[in-house]
Amino acid sequence: MNMTFPYSIVCLDGSLPAYHFHRGYGLGSNSWLIHLEGGGWCGTIRNCIYSKKTWHGSSYFMEKQIPFIGILISKAEENLDFYNWNRVKVRYCDGALFSGDSQNEALLSGCSAGGLSAILHCDEFRELFPRTTRVKCFSDGGLFLDS
């Protein structure tokens, strides 16, 4: 369940970040959707210390398997565009916004804090692929207004 990131990301407790993967098939077997999980900021020391002992701050407390829903669902009737792509959900556990026309496509997406991270890390994500790969980034609710 662990993967290596191009930049040094660790969970609040120092454990490696985690992800869940569903292999693509058919016409989607060479396309990728990478979804960054949301989870909010670790705003206070007390909150960070508490989170270290939960799945919000440690990959040791995360589920081994999770259902893929929404943009990650594998049912064509509910997710016509991406149901057969390689789909990865990257778990959020650092409390700091993850602070890492071709047949080959990759989509980085995220919701909430993961959505903002998709915006912030889009250029770095692009650099992981050959120039022939078409890369897009999608933020699902990752805009925070200072109100």
Side-chain angles (χ1 to χ4, degrees):
M1 184 159 90
N2 292 321
M3 79 190 269
T4 303
F5 288 86
Y7 30 88
S8 182
I9 298 174
V10 295
C11 297
L12 288 171
D13 69 343
S15 62
L16 292 174
Y19 69 96
H20 300 276
F21 172 68
H22 284 187
R23 185 171 303 283
Y25 60 92
L27 295 176
S29 63
N30 290 322
S31 298
W32 289 82
L33 188 156
I34 313 295
H35 184 82
L36 303 176
E37 182 177 53
W41 283 278
C42 180
T44 67
I45 293 173
R46 172 179 264 161
N47 184 294
C48 292
I49 291 170
Y50 172 78
S51 293
K52 284 171 55 172
K53 297 179 177 93
T54 72
W55 65 270
H56 284 287
S58 173
S59 58
Y60 296 121
F61 295 102
M62 293 178 182
E63 306 93 329
K64 300 295 183 212
Q65 294 183 340
I66 60 168
F68 274 25
I69 59 172
I71 197 171
L72 297 173
I73 202 162
S74 61
K75 297 178 184 173
E77 61 275 8
E78 295 180 40
N79 189 11
L80 186 59
D81 294 318
F82 309 114
Y83 73 96
N84 63 345
W85 285 29
N86 292 290
R87 289 161 288 120
V88 180
K89 180 172 185 166
V90 181
R91 302 300 301 271
Y92 183 60
C93 64
D94 74 339
L97 303 176
F98 293 93
S99 324
D101 301 35
S102 164
Q103 291 298 329
N104 298 325
E105 299 179 288
L107 174 66
L108 176 65
S109 72
C111 66
S112 189
L116 183 54
S117 294
I119 294 169
L120 295 174
H121 298 294
C122 188
D123 291 339
E124 296 165 53
F125 180 69
R126 170 72 194 96
E127 296 301 318
L128 297 174
F129 297 92
R131 300 305 302 160
T132 56
T133 301
R134 197 166 125 201
V135 173
K136 295 183 179 182
C137 297
F138 172 70
S139 174
D140 181 11
L143 179 63
F144 299 92
L145 301 176
D146 186 16
S147 54

